Amino acid sequence: MLTDTKKTSTIPVYNSYTGEIIGSVPQSSEQDVMNALDTAKKGEAIGKKMPASERISILKKAVLLMEQEFDVLANLIATEGIKTISQAKKEVTRALQTMQLSAEEASRISGATIPFNAVPGSEDRMGYELKCPIGIVVAITPFNDPLNLVCHKLGPAIAAGNPVILKPSDYTPLVAIKFGEILFKAGLPKEMLSIITGAPEYFGDALISDDRIRLISFTGGVTAAKIIQRKAGLKKMVMELGSNSPVIVLSNADLEDAVQSCVSGAFFASGQNCVGVKRVFVDAAIYDSFLKKFVAQTATLKIGAPLTEGVDIGPIISKQALNEIDQFVIESIDHGATLIAGGKKIGNSYIPTVLVADCNNDIANCKEVFGPVVTISKVENLEQAIDCCNKSPFGLHAAVFTNDIQNAHKAINGLECAGVMINDSTDYRIDAMPFGGVKLSGIGREGVKSAIEAMSETKVVCFKLKK
Amino acid sequence: MLTDTKKTSTIPVYNSYTGEIIGSVPQSSEQDVMNALDTAKKGEAIGKKMPASERISILKKAVLLMEQEFDVLANLIATEGIKTISQAKKEVTRALQTMQLSAEEASRISGATIPFNAVPGSEDRMGYELKCPIGIVVAITPFNDPLNLVCHKLGPAIAAGNPVILKPSDYTPLVAIKFGEILFKAGLPKEMLSIITGAPEYFGDALISDDRIRLISFTGGVTAAKIIQRKAGLKKMVMELGSNSPVIVLSNADLEDAVQSCVSGAFFASGQNCVGVKRVFVDAAIYDSFLKKFVAQTATLKIGAPLTEGVDIGPIISKQALNEIDQFVIESIDHGATLIAGGKKIGNSYIPTVLVADCNNDIANCKEVFGPVVTISKVENLEQAIDCCNKSPFGLHAAVFTNDIQNAHKAINGLECAGVMINDSTDYRIDAMPFGGVKLSGIGREGVKSAIEAMSETKVVCFKLKK
Amino acid sequence: MLTDTKKTSTIPVYNSYTGEIIGSVPQSSEQDVMNALDTAKKGEAIGKKMPASERISILKKAVLLMEQEFDVLANLIATEGIKTISQAKKEVTRALQTMQLSAEEASRISGATIPFNAVPGSEDRMGYELKCPIGIVVAITPFNDPLNLVCHKLGPAIAAGNPVILKPSDYTPLVAIKFGEILFKAGLPKEMLSIITGAPEYFGDALISDDRIRLISFTGGVTAAKIIQRKAGLKKMVMELGSNSPVIVLSNADLEDAVQSCVSGAFFASGQNCVGVKRVFVDAAIYDSFLKKFVAQTATLKIGAPLTEGVDIGPIISKQALNEIDQFVIESIDHGATLIAGGKKIGNSYIPTVLVADCNNDIANCKEVFGPVVTISKVENLEQAIDCCNKSPFGLHAAVFTNDIQNAHKAINGLECAGVMINDSTDYRIDAMPFGGVKLSGIGREGVKSAIEAMSETKVVCFKLKK
Amino acid sequence: MLTDTKKTSTIPVYNSYTGEIIGSVPQSSEQDVMNALDTAKKGEAIGKKMPASERISILKKAVLLMEQEFDVLANLIATEGIKTISQAKKEVTRALQTMQLSAEEASRISGATIPFNAVPGSEDRMGYELKCPIGIVVAITPFNDPLNLVCHKLGPAIAAGNPVILKPSDYTPLVAIKFGEILFKAGLPKEMLSIITGAPEYFGDALISDDRIRLISFTGGVTAAKIIQRKAGLKKMVMELGSNSPVIVLSNADLEDAVQSCVSGAFFASGQNCVGVKRVFVDAAIYDSFLKKFVAQTATLKIGAPLTEGVDIGPIISKQALNEIDQFVIESIDHGATLIAGGKKIGNSYIPTVLVADCNNDIANCKEVFGPVVTISKVENLEQAIDCCNKSPFGLHAAVFTNDIQNAHKAINGLECAGVMINDSTDYRIDAMPFGGVKLSGIGREGVKSAIEAMSETKVVCFKLKK
């Protein structure tokens, strides 16, 4: 169920590269949220009785429909969002996998039998865990992966039998709405999905604090996360927040490979990526060489219109975001960083930017910048590099380039984060793996299987039998 | 590390049956909490490097020391707490099992390898999940199982390699402190445990809201839980809250067995038990007979001093709690309930109380009473009984007495709760099983294995290999 | 790779209902087997290096091709095999699911990390289990599910990365060969599948005893199984053998439902089904009524040509098999059984046959009959019924009709078998579940996940790290 | 139940170092085996009904009794067996852990619920896997770890609820009998353990081929394994056989560490160890240096009486075994190997022997020698080393010394074996890990958890429910 679009109040949706208006969506009201909750409560009862076979059938049909609408979905991502068309196509492919995985995991929701009879006095019991739908899920999603991150919440929610109220980013609601239509066409009962759009200040706290909501799955920034947490009351929360992912490059690494991975990881989607490379700590022995190659490689990136073939760098999502990136660069320099490349806007894009700073730079090393800015630092050894990485209050992914077993495992154990990639960029992820962060980077884990677990409640069943 | 007891400010601890002062504990200050956090931060680094073998060794030594101090622990429980001595001994036995289980599970902390190579483009990856300590754990525990519920938090925390700041109930700090001493004697580094005692208003929000805390494990009431949730900021929370656990007795059940289980489940620990039987829905066909037998059986319970052999009903934890129970009975009657037995205090005890009400009684059927009060209702059939059960905002355990397969599974599926006992009381639990509630009864699951999972972070490790 | 069909020596394949020759297949020689082994050895190296993504791709393409060839496959089953066309279509649907499941499980082959650091002296180790292809698999399959049982071996083998040498039943090689063609078309390397056809006496023991074979997966009869076991040497074996599956019907069961399930379970595929109902033990209280209804229901079954719509009972696979069924009936009667219905052939079919006997009848109660013959026995109580069931040397599936919880669990615990169905026929099976037998009914378990486990070797990896 | 020792026919047990007779055990007859089987059949019924709590209690009491008898057990191992007293004490410590682990795993025997409702047509089903005792287990154990390998079979068998007939090595029956006494004292019912002693030719095939036996767990040589396999008929088999474990030492390894590990791994227990280092492939760049250090380190080993403090090399188990070692050395030299050190007997001991050979030496590289003989080969690179390792028909453990990630994972993937140790000897093992071999080294896996799985049967339970 979408919020009724016949109502007069709507908000525009923009082409983020050109700034043109390309559509509009309803500005949902508090009443819309209450209606969505009433609907979802009915959806809860439906989901609870819907056998896995039916949930699987809906998910599989959705996959087929997504394949049919592949280009429509990719174009929406590349227009209202910030990805180039080839990046957008990759996202649709990933989104398809996420939904396919959700269908597959829906047939594997299983508990364990509980060995009650191992406990003295309980010898005559037998029982097991049932996994039950948790109930109403509120999903709040960001603009940067506007389809796949929706799929990462709705796929598992449907797989687990839960109704969802989806609040997509104000910047990228159209692809979310298109996906909602696909789900309904695939057979999802209307009661199991509502989409709330528009600015949150118009519909207030109900979407967060209503007691009927059982889980909030939020992907976005730390500030919003803290507000949600404060207002949510007693419910489960899964939060995927920001980061400033670090890479360590040691002297025994394959240098070419490290440069290529780091440049790609830093500037994919113009750095508007929670696992994008933001900080690179390079062993002094190869530092000069690395920096030179990194800057040279960065210089080859082509800035332009997202729908143009061959473009690497598209727009930043908003003027405000552009300004925040600029501000980060300026403040980093104020705190001692040196600008090596980039450092300014072109239209709605931001030029790939390389800073050099040491890890005592409280801005460059500790703040999050959601744009194409990477800070490179020289380090004396692995221990120092690990300490620098851990200075950040975030902890999502980290990466290490090395061919040495001891170094690799020392880094794996020492880095405070939720994923360590050896010889790869921090933005490596497959949709089946547990995904999330520690420290300020988040609470809980997504990834289809992990999300289904989070969206299910364990019910212990115990039969007392006569001997 | 205990808060320094040489400070002048302390609070008394009472024998809850006689009201005599039996000891005192420090009234911790905000500075004490900050000290505890500084200490715990050091403990975090220690825990992270402590191999499982050492954690296991500490836990196993603690088990041996608890066995040596069995009687001391049981007497503390039966004195500052509300259990009779035989109930207290059962708790110490359970607590031993909880710690033994923690030792055993500490050697089974394991992740899975991740089949990266199933994803096109990732064929050259290999990797796995590491389970890492989550960091500083704040454990807040109640008076009713003052030792075992502490063990359910500290055992898994130590097993997982985490430092803990423990805040036991103001009513029952002595057994918690005694247990802390045992842990230190068993080799737990001082940095890995601090105990904060006294009224929370004196040390403010730091124990909840400090960013260094990674997980709050709380067992207690809904009101406190909501405050904690609001103040906690971005951290993980596991909450075991209240309930008013229902039992359904169908006509094809073993009546004698049902009566016995329900009386025991309702009045164990004077009903001060989050899984105690609070509501019984009885099929009309056997209602009269059930009620008669239930009242008769209840009448045999002996009220008295907890340390006296043969006593079934000891004290209520406080005057305030006594009054709340009284209030619940009075309001239930105001809303239409009939008092069948009990309904008044004797000294610091409350007489086992039987109400009869229908499930539209908003007090008797929907509020939690933490005392020896049970409400019995007549129902026409299983469907009605399930609806009545689900009217409550709580959802911890439920129970059904029946010998019919269809009825049992209909109830298992229909009851909104986290545990369904067939032919047993709602207060059945083994320490190895997942334990927790849905709706207002809680967030997340305890039970040693589940708690270790909650107290660990998954770190994904991925090696990109050359082909 | 199929055995070269240009060779002169072939054997005919028959329409099992009409006896007409419908095709021919090579009579493989010992040299053919040796060639197949040489080929498979190359396939082993290929499979070992083939990433899961590629195995999945092959399996998914095979599913699509099977859908395209649905009718061809169903007609082959209903012609060379013994099923009616509607039964054959069900088998193709099941076979599709088996292959789809194999594709899905291929992306879930995973081991666990091993908590080495829990062991004193091993604190500096980290490691995990890898699951590796076991190597050459020989699959020997029977006539009764000539496609799905092939899929149950080839699907998991491919999923796990193993080459297979398939020896289908001499009666039903065509559907197996057709399926082999589909696999090659789907991209399976020629080296990963060879099909050996014809009578085993012409190619000798090589297919069983060659040391390069790592696993024999056999579905068939006990006699052949014993020969294979004796000749196999040191290799893994998974064996799904026969049974004479028992059903217990208690007085508190739904009688109509029990009759319907038992008749269907007894006569599906003319009883040529390893989990078909062969023995029914009925509580004395309802025995007369059950028997009357059972015979009446049996009388409605229509015998005829498998391709004719509405036919329930098709042919028996061979004259020899027909005679063996006849012999079983005659010997059962000799040992005291009474013939109630059926008991003779019509063309290549056998009339649905009902015997009444007690469980001391060494033939009716202990031998396997692979045809439409069911023996019904009166029992005094559940205990006696369980004893009667367990007298058989077989132990595949059993079933119990009851609505009583105690009876159900008593039967579940007491029956010596590998699957207990409550209120359903013994021939219930889903392709994802572990499937196999105890006692003479088999060794090991199939079902896609279990088969992949059996077809994989665990390789422990342990890194000793510097502290 | 031990075979009745009052019978006249006994066989002597020797001190394997001095050759003195130190005791005698019955020479069991075929009748003894049949009696043991009758007894075990009763034990099967007892085990099936024995709750896990009771099995755990027996296992835990056995651990306590083993601790009390620690020195007795160690002395028996060092006297009738081949270990020095310090090696024997290590074995008793390991055996204690194995039994403790068995107790712990006995409370974790659990299946999974089966998501039947994911399959169209099965929406109304619910069910799960039960893990049931497999039935009578025959355990056949070797002389080299005469206590721990018995524990690895009896611990899991008891944990899983199975009766055992144990046939220990003729050379080391006394420690097995002592352990049997401990088990009975710990409360194991007499029907659940029988010990058969003496030469197998006197009691014939019954111990292998009787149909009542459900699983044979054999640890020993390939020749015996083949005979068992041929005679066993339809039953499950787990076999841990021999090996000639290879080590690869690459130029980027820590050389001192590699030498020390290899010498220790080669000569522990005089090389009478199935995971002992038998072959070392050294990178040409460090070959000379490695060889020199290896020989020097080997020269420090002290040969002498096992009970004498400081002795490293005790006896070989028998004259025949001594001759076989000698024969292996002579034949290896005949095939081109060069003797660098050792190569002859002293009393009942064999001097630590170093051969140099290339991997085309069919004896040194492909045969198993159960004694203190190691062959060192020069290789050009990792690929060649892997090929050389894989030439052997065995595949138990392998090891690689390297600090390079790519080399490590290339070796892990390429080596045909069941365990790869990086920077450690092949004889590294913890009792909790899956243990076993591929190719001629065995079938299936031991290790407590794996053994319990092998010794259990999965019983699928499925309830068909009314909607």
Side-chain angles (χ1 to χ4, degrees), chain A residues 99-390:
Chain A
M99 294 301 287
Q100 173 66 30
L101 258 175
S102 299
E104 294 182 12
E105 289 298 331
S107 71
R108 288 167 175 80
I109 298 173
S110 163
T113 63
I114 300 174
F116 291 107
N117 83 343
V119 177
S122 289
E123 286 82 356
D124 50 354
R125 263 77 168 193
M126 90 74 43
Y128 44 86
E129 303 166 327
L130 282 186
K131 300 289 176 178
C132 306
I134 194 172
I136 300 176
V137 170
V138 165
I140 304 176
T141 56
F143 70 87
N144 56 332
D145 294 306
L147 177 60
N148 195 27
L149 292 185
V150 169
C151 291
H152 265 291
K153 298 188 191 304
L154 269 58
I158 296 168
N162 296 302
V164 185
I165 303 177
L166 170 66
K167 166 67 185 70
S169 163
D170 295 3
Y171 297 114
T172 56
L174 299 183
V175 71
I177 290 170
K178 179 75 200 168
F179 178 64
E181 289 165 6
I182 284 174
L183 288 175
F184 290 136
K185 210 167 160 189
L188 187 72
K190 298 288 175 201
E191 295 85 353
M192 286 187 75
L193 176 64
S194 296
I195 302 180
I196 293 295
T197 51
E201 50 267 37
Y202 289 88
F203 46 80
D205 299 343
L207 191 59
I208 301 303
S209 53
D210 193 279
D211 276 349
R212 288 169 290 183
I213 301 163
R214 300 311 310 142
L215 180 141
I216 297 175
S217 178
F218 172 73
T219 301
V222 168
T223 313
K226 284 185 173 167
I227 296 170
I228 291 170
Q229 166 82 15
R230 196 167 60 241
K231 294 183 173 173
L234 294 177
K235 50 182 66 90
K236 218 169 168 182
M237 265 163 282
V238 176
M239 294 187 153
E240 305 302 336
L241 311 177
S243 190
N244 54 357
S245 301
V247 178
I248 299 171
V249 185
L250 297 181
S251 58
N252 53 9
D254 178 329
L255 190 60
E256 294 298 336
D257 188 41
V259 169
Q260 207 154 0
S261 286
C262 287
V263 170
S264 159
F267 302 120
F268 182 89
S270 296
Q272 293 162 99
N273 181 2
C274 59
V275 283
V277 172
K278 298 295 175 196
R279 303 180 287 154
V280 187
F281 299 97
V282 186
D283 189 300
I286 54 164
Y287 174 79
D288 291 339
S289 170
F290 180 90
L291 183 58
K292 195 174 146 193
K293 285 170 191 281
F294 189 95
V295 172
Q297 177 82 16
T298 299
T300 67
L301 297 173
K302 198 170 153 195
I303 305 172
L307 294 175
T308 304
E309 206 60 38
V311 161
D312 300 299
I313 303 289
I316 298 301
I317 191 65
S318 71
K319 299 283 180 211
Q320 190 194 330
L322 268 171
N323 291 338
E324 285 169 7
I325 296 167
D326 227 26
Q327 199 57 30
F328 175 90
V329 172
I330 290 164
E331 286 184 28
S332 291
I333 294 168
D334 282 354
H335 280 69
T338 309
L339 181 70
I340 304 294
K344 60 181 174 209
K345 319 171 206 169
I346 295 188
N348 285 332
S349 298
Y350 201 87
I351 301 178
T353 298
V354 181
L355 296 171
V356 160
D358 70 23
C359 83
N360 294 318
N361 190 310
D362 283 348
I363 306 304
N365 197 49
C366 292
K367 299 289 176 196
E368 184 184 16
V369 57
F370 216 63
V373 181
V374 66
T375 302
I376 299 180
S377 309
K378 190 193 290 187
V379 291
E380 292 311 312
N381 52 43
L382 176 58
E383 287 68 23
Q384 189 196 350
I386 293 173
D387 285 347
C388 290
C389 290
N390 290 347

Side-chain angles (χ1 to χ4, degrees), chain B residues 10-64:
Chain B
T10 62
I11 58 162
V13 181
Y14 301 94
N15 176 319
S16 56
Y17 184 70
T18 64
E20 291 171 296
I21 292 178
I22 55 168
S24 72
V25 293
Q27 172 56 57
S28 301
S29 66
E30 189 163 0
Q31 188 54 48
D32 291 327
V33 169
M34 297 316 284
N35 293 347
L37 281 162
D38 292 344
T39 301
K41 197 68 196 169
K42 289 177 205 147
E44 189 179 276
I46 294 169
K48 206 173 149 182
K49 301 215 166 184
M50 188 186 280
S53 60
E54 203 173 325
R55 293 177 249 143
I56 294 165
S57 161
I58 293 166
L59 290 162
K60 287 195 171 168
K61 275 184 209 148
V63 170
L64 293 178

Side-chain angles (χ1 to χ4, degrees), chain D residues 111-130:
Chain D
T113 64
I114 300 174
F116 290 107
N117 83 342
V119 177
S122 290
E123 285 83 356
D124 50 353
R125 262 78 167 192
M126 91 72 44
Y128 46 85
E129 302 166 328
L130 282 186

Side-chain angles (χ1 to χ4, degrees), chain B residues 52 56 60 94 160 175 237 239 250 301 308 338 368 378 414 447 454:
Chain B
I56 294 165
K60 287 195 171 168
R94 288 274 297 272
V175 72
M237 265 164 281
M239 293 186 154
L250 297 181
L301 297 172
T308 305
T338 309
E368 184 184 15
K378 189 194 291 188

Side-chain angles (χ1 to χ4, degrees), chain D residues 365-379:
Chain D
N365 197 48
C366 293
K367 300 289 177 195
E368 184 184 14
V369 56
F370 217 64
V373 182
V374 65
T375 302
I376 300 181
S377 309
K378 189 193 292 187
V379 289

Side-chain angles (χ1 to χ4, degrees), chain C residues 374-396:
Chain C
V374 65
T375 301
I376 299 179
S377 309
K378 189 192 291 188
V379 289
E380 291 312 311
N381 52 42
L382 176 58
E383 288 68 23
Q384 189 197 350
I386 293 173
D387 286 347
C388 289
C389 290
N390 290 347
K391 269 197 177 172
S392 161
F394 295 102
L396 203 53

Side-chain angles (χ1 to χ4, degrees), chain D residues 86-409:
Chain D
S86 73
Q87 293 169 348
K89 283 178 180 170
K90 270 187 205 159
E91 181 174 344
V92 182
T93 301
R94 289 273 299 272
L96 277 162
Q97 287 173 3
T98 302
M99 293 303 285
Q100 175 64 30
L101 259 175
S102 298
E104 294 183 12
E105 289 298 331
S107 71
R108 289 164 174 82
I109 298 174
S110 164
T113 64
I114 300 174
F116 290 107
N117 83 342
V119 177
S122 290
E123 285 83 356
D124 50 353
R125 262 78 167 192
M126 91 72 44
Y128 46 85
E129 302 166 328
L130 282 186
K131 301 288 177 179
C132 306
I134 195 171
I136 299 174
V137 169
V138 164
I140 304 176
T141 55
F143 71 87
N144 56 332
D145 294 307
L147 176 61
N148 195 26
L149 292 184
V150 168
C151 291
H152 264 292
K153 299 187 191 304
L154 269 57
I158 295 167
N162 296 302
V164 185
I165 304 177
L166 170 66
K167 166 66 185 72
S169 163
D170 295 2
Y171 297 114
T172 56
L174 298 182
V175 71
I177 289 170
K178 179 76 199 168
F179 178 64
E181 287 165 7
I182 284 174
L183 288 175
F184 290 135
K185 210 166 160 189
L188 186 72
K190 298 287 174 200
E191 295 84 353
M192 287 187 74
L193 176 64
S194 297
I195 302 180
I196 293 295
T197 51
E201 53 265 38
Y202 289 89
F203 47 79
D205 299 341
L207 190 60
I208 301 303
S209 52
D210 193 279
D211 276 348
R212 287 169 292 183
I213 302 163
R214 300 310 311 143
L215 180 141
I216 298 174
S217 179
F218 172 73
T219 300
V222 169
T223 313
K226 286 186 172 167
I227 296 169
I228 291 170
Q229 166 82 15
R230 195 166 61 241
K231 293 184 174 173
L234 294 177
K235 50 182 65 90
K236 218 169 166 183
M237 264 164 281
V238 176
M239 292 186 156
E240 307 301 336
L241 310 177
S243 190
N244 54 357
S245 300
V247 179
I248 299 172
V249 185
L250 296 181
S251 58
N252 53 10
D254 178 329
L255 191 60
E256 294 299 334
D257 189 41
V259 168
Q260 207 153 1
S261 286
C262 288
V263 170
S264 160
F267 302 121
F268 182 88
S270 297
Q272 294 162 101
N273 180 3
C274 58
V275 284
V277 172
K278 298 295 174 193
R279 302 180 289 155
V280 187
F281 299 97
V282 187
D283 189 300
I286 53 164
Y287 175 78
D288 290 340
S289 171
F290 180 91
L291 184 59
K292 195 174 146 193
K293 285 170 190 283
F294 189 97
V295 171
Q297 178 82 17
T298 299
T300 67
L301 297 173
K302 197 170 152 194
I303 305 171
L307 294 175
T308 304
E309 206 60 39
V311 161
D312 300 297
I313 302 289
I316 299 300
I317 191 64
S318 69
K319 299 282 179 210
Q320 188 194 331
L322 268 171
N323 290 339
E324 284 169 7
I325 296 166
D326 226 26
Q327 196 59 28
F328 174 91
V329 172
I330 290 164
E331 286 183 29
S332 292
I333 295 168
D334 282 353
H335 280 68
T338 309
L339 182 69
I340 304 294
K344 61 183 175 207
K345 319 171 205 171
I346 296 187
N348 285 333
S349 299
Y350 201 88
I351 300 178
T353 298
V354 181
L355 296 172
V356 159
D358 70 23
C359 83
N360 294 318
N361 189 310
D362 285 347
I363 305 305
N365 197 48
C366 293
K367 300 289 177 195
E368 184 184 14
V369 56
F370 217 64
V373 182
V374 65
T375 302
I376 300 181
S377 309
K378 189 193 292 187
V379 289
E380 292 311 312
N381 52 44
L382 176 58
E383 288 69 21
Q384 189 197 350
I386 293 173
D387 286 347
C388 289
C389 290
N390 291 347
K391 268 197 178 170
S392 161
F394 295 102
L396 202 52
H397 280 184
V400 188
F401 285 83
T402 182
N403 259 317
D404 183 86
I405 290 173
Q406 306 299 336
N407 286 343
H409 287 280

